Amino acid sequence: DTGVSQNPRHKITKRGQNVTFRCDPISEHNRLYWYRQTLGQGPEFLTYFQNEAQLEKSRLLSDRFSAERPKGSFSTLEIQRTEQGDSAMYLCASSPDRTQETQYFGPGTRLLVL
Amino acid sequence: TQLLEQSPQFLSIQEGENLTVYCNSSSVFSSLQWYRQEPGEGPVLLVTVVTGGEVKKLKRLTFQFGDARKDSSLHITAAQPGDTGLYLCAAHRGKTSYDKVIFGPGTSLSVIP
């Protein structure tokens, strides 16, 4: 399978705990995006990487959220001191340089904060 | 405020029926994408439309981009249970700023056998 992969697929945690999600993009894609999706809504942009550089961050990305892409390949999204409002599906997408509009999504990580 | 509006929000139809869902905005977009998302999965790209008035067909699905590039429609002919899912439209307002990628809230389609 050469698509975008995300791990874990599901995560249940208690309020106040830290969680980390991983995204492996399509291998030749330089651009990587993180989105958050809540029930009944479309995905909301969180942040974007061009290779290892984090170029855009949404206002939605509070200081409890941090994303990295240290070698320009896989990326991690960490949420510190989770809150119940963080419960959502976290989606990763990647795209090649030449087609900036076309993003290929992973299956997502569904987070439930109790 | 949703910059992209989709209608209807929910749609339940019988297998074999035709349907149209809409994506509307007051903004002009450089391109617009349609995705289908199944429960527990990420969105899967169906089509990208770029030119005003453009019509693209994907088997039983017909996509149209409005002349003014502010709206789009998706028409499904002879719907099948496998068409069930959340249909999302997404758009870019510019060509260089990636936080301008916005998604609509989606149309949840259920096709009953």
Side-chain angles (χ1 to χ4, degrees), chain A residues 9-10 31 33 35 37 40-45 48 50 56-58 89 91 95 97 100-108 110, chain B residues 2 9 30-31 33 35 37 39-45 48 86 88 92 94-106:
Chain A
R9 293 292 309 273
H10 301 89
R31 296 174 177 167
Y33 313 80
Y35 292 85
Q37 185 178 25
Q41 299 295 322
E44 296 175 295
F45 172 84
Y48 148 71
Q50 172 81 24
E56 295 275 1
K57 290 174 65 173
S58 165
M89 172 79 92
L91 293 163
S95 71
D97 278 334
Q100 57 188 359
E101 294 90 356
T102 304
Q103 300 179 17
Y104 298 86
F105 283 83
R110 182 168 293 282
Chain B
Q2 288 282 2
Q9 185 177 2
S30 58
S31 68
Q33 295 82 46
Y35 292 83
Q37 184 177 24
E41 301 293 330
V44 175
L45 179 68
T48 297
L86 180 68
L88 295 159
H92 286 243
K95 293 186 177 181
T96 58
S97 181
Y98 295 92
D99 68 349
K100 295 298 189 292
V101 176
I102 54 173
F103 280 81

Side-chain angles (χ1 to χ4, degrees), chain A residues 18-72:
Chain A
N18 300 341
V19 294
T20 300
F21 310 140
R22 175 175 170 132
C23 170
D24 287 271
I26 294 172
S27 60
E28 64 268 25
H29 287 184
N30 294 326
R31 296 174 177 167
L32 187 148
Y33 313 80
W34 285 100
Y35 292 85
R36 181 173 66 190
Q37 185 178 25
T38 53
L39 200 61
Q41 299 295 322
E44 296 175 295
F45 172 84
L46 292 178
T47 190
Y48 148 71
F49 289 86
Q50 172 81 24
N51 298 312
E52 67 275 8
Q54 188 173 17
L55 298 185
E56 295 275 1
K57 290 174 65 173
S58 165
R59 293 185 300 275
L60 294 173
L61 211 65
S62 75
D63 56 5
R64 296 184 299 104
F65 288 71
S66 62
E68 295 181 344
R69 195 183 183 196
K71 298 182 180 179

Side-chain angles (χ1 to χ4, degrees), chain B residues 6 11 24 33 45 47 49 62 64 70 73 75 77 81 88-89 94-95 98:
Chain B
Q6 291 190 245
L11 187 57
N24 297 289
Q33 295 82 46
L45 179 68
V47 77
V49 287
T62 302
Q64 184 163 7
K70 293 182 178 182
S73 64
H75 181 80
T77 303
L88 295 159
C89 64
K95 293 186 177 181
Y98 295 92

